[in-house]
Amino acid sequence: MKPVFATLLLICLVLISSFFDATVAGSDFCDSKCSERCKLAGVKDRCVKYCGICCEKCQCVPSGTYGNKHECPCYRDLKNSKGKPKCP
């Protein structure tokens, strides 16, 4: 019984570490894309925060610093609780 438990534990650790690596890589992508998108924003920290939320959900960020939301429909279609666009 102990070898089975040890094997399952090892498999779980490997799966968790691979998931963690994918999450870190995804956030690096979003950080770089959002800092580029928000570089001209008046309230940069808020822009980067909401852009990061949208990027994590949609896995894309439109090019440029404004507009071009047709490049990422998920990013374009996310709305806040008041029905206005969530993503900068």
Side-chain angles (χ1 to χ4, degrees):
M1 193 64 156
K2 288 183 181 181
V4 173
F5 178 73
T7 304
L8 288 174
L9 182 62
L10 182 61
I11 291 172
C12 288
L13 289 174
V14 169
L15 290 174
I16 289 170
S17 67
S18 65
F19 175 74
F20 181 73
D21 290 342
T23 303
V24 170
S27 64
D28 288 343
F29 168 79
C30 290
D31 289 346
S32 64
K33 291 289 189 176
C34 288
S35 63
E36 180 65 27
R37 179 114 179 130
C38 296
K39 69 182 178 184
L40 300 178
V43 186
K44 189 173 181 177
D45 57 338
R46 187 174 3 177
C47 179
V48 170
K49 174 186 174 185
Y50 287 109
C51 178
I53 292 169
C54 296
C55 177
E56 290 292 327
K57 183 169 179 107
C58 298
Q59 296 300 308
C60 65
V61 175
S63 62
T65 56
Y66 185 79
N68 301 323
K69 290 186 178 182
H70 63 279
E71 296 174 355
C72 184
C74 171
Y75 190 96
R76 176 194 64 211
D77 295 338
L78 286 177
K79 305 288 185 203
N80 65 17
S81 61
K82 296 179 182 176
K84 299 201 178 204
K86 181 175 194 154
C87 308

